């Protein structure tokens, strides 16, 4: 899965390596990683299972927002292949260009999701797979609230994160210096609920990305319904 505007690094304890370089913007990190990121994460069985659950709830031709769409694989590709109208947003121009080539039936925009205006109820569903982690905790909460308003009442949410209790921690992810923030599992579920989604399913797994510098990561997948 190559769809993230940010995610925690190989150092989940948050201790920066000696002489660590300054953190890079998310767009710079994922421009550098490109297809390498897809190779590392596209094989996540839990991500595909989450998409299976989302697809079960979508009416034919649903309009779906994919936040942090990356290279379009697997989320946008699977949704578009099922006949849904996908709008993907990612801060990385390299990722967005890859996505447009790999998933020509979807629409992709290179932009910061925090800066785009959405009409109330514009979408039937929103996917947020690991795309919050280079945002502050306050930005994550605020964005989830805005996304809730962009989803129709009764519409669906699929969201995933790395559930560790950290705030503005320096780390290294696949060789790239980043600053990450996240919530523990219970707190993240509360943040999602507070944004306006009824949390209906929760699934936790451990996953090791297919990359020489990767380490075991906890992944949390939530599914919810817009209240």
């Amino acid at each position: 899965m190559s769809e993230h505007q940010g995610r925690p690094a190989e150092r989940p304890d948050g201790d920066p390596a000696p002489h660590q370089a300054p953190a890079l913007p998310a767009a710079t990190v994922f421009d550098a990683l490109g297809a390498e990121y897809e190779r590392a994460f596209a094989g996540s069985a839990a991500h595909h299972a989450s998409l299976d659950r989302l697809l079960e709830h979508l009416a034919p031709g649903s309009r779906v927002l994919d936040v942090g769409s990356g290279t379009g694989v697997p989320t946008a590709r699977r949704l578009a292949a099922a006949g849904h109208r996908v709008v993907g947003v990612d801060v990385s121009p390299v990722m967005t260009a890859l996505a447009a080539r790999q998933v020509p039936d979807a629409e992709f925009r290179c932009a910061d999701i925090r800066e785009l205006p959405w009409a109330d109820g514009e979408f039937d569903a929103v996917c947020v797979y690991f795309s919050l982690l280079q945002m502050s905790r306050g930005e994550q909460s605020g964005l989830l609230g805005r996304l809730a308003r962009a989803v129709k009442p009764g519409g669906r949410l699929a969201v995933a994160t790395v559930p560790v209790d950290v705030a503005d921690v320096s780390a290294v992810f696949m060789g790239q210096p980043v600053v990450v923030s996240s919530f523990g599992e219970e707190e993240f579920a509360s943040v999602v609920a507070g944004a306006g989604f009824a949390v209906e399913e929760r699934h936790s797994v451990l996953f090791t990305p297919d990359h020489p510098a990767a380490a075991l990561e906890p992944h949390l997948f939530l599914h919810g319904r817009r209240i």
Side-chain angles (χ1 to χ4, degrees), residues 50-221:
S50 175
L51 287 168
D52 289 340
R53 290 193 291 275
L54 176 62
L55 286 164
E56 290 173 359
H57 290 289
L58 296 181
S62 289
R63 183 169 166 82
V64 185
L65 176 62
D66 182 11
V67 177
S69 47
T71 66
V73 179
T75 299
R77 174 179 283 176
R78 288 202 53 194
L79 291 167
H84 301 296
R85 297 169 293 149
V86 181
V87 177
V89 178
D90 200 283
V91 293
S92 164
V94 170
M95 292 286 204
T96 305
L98 283 168
R101 290 197 296 270
Q102 295 194 127
V103 193
D105 292 335
E107 173 190 349
F108 295 97
R109 303 179 190 177
C110 183
D112 188 326
I113 189 68
R114 294 167 292 187
E115 298 173 357
L116 292 178
W118 305 109
D120 289 354
E122 185 171 349
F123 296 96
D124 300 293
V126 60
C127 300
V128 194
Y129 285 110
F130 303 101
S131 51
L132 301 174
L133 293 153
Q134 279 183 259
M135 300 180 191
S136 71
R137 287 178 166 182
E139 287 174 326
Q140 293 181 40
S141 299
L143 178 60
L144 285 166
R146 286 188 60 229
L147 294 175
R149 293 189 293 274
V151 175
K152 296 175 182 177
R156 310 304 303 186
L157 167 75
V159 59
T161 192
V162 176
V164 291
D165 185 12
V166 296
D168 302 319
V169 167
S170 297
V172 177
F173 172 65
M174 293 178 68
Q176 304 293 318
V178 296
V179 171
V180 297
S181 297
S182 190
F183 301 91
E185 181 171 333
E186 295 301 328
E187 189 175 4
F188 186 69
S190 295
V191 168
V192 171
F197 294 100
V199 178
E200 297 180 340
E201 294 184 57
R202 185 189 306 192
H203 184 53
S204 298
V205 299
L206 295 175
F207 178 73
T208 302
D210 185 10
H211 188 272
L216 192 69
E217 298 181 1
H219 288 179
L220 171 66
F221 294 83

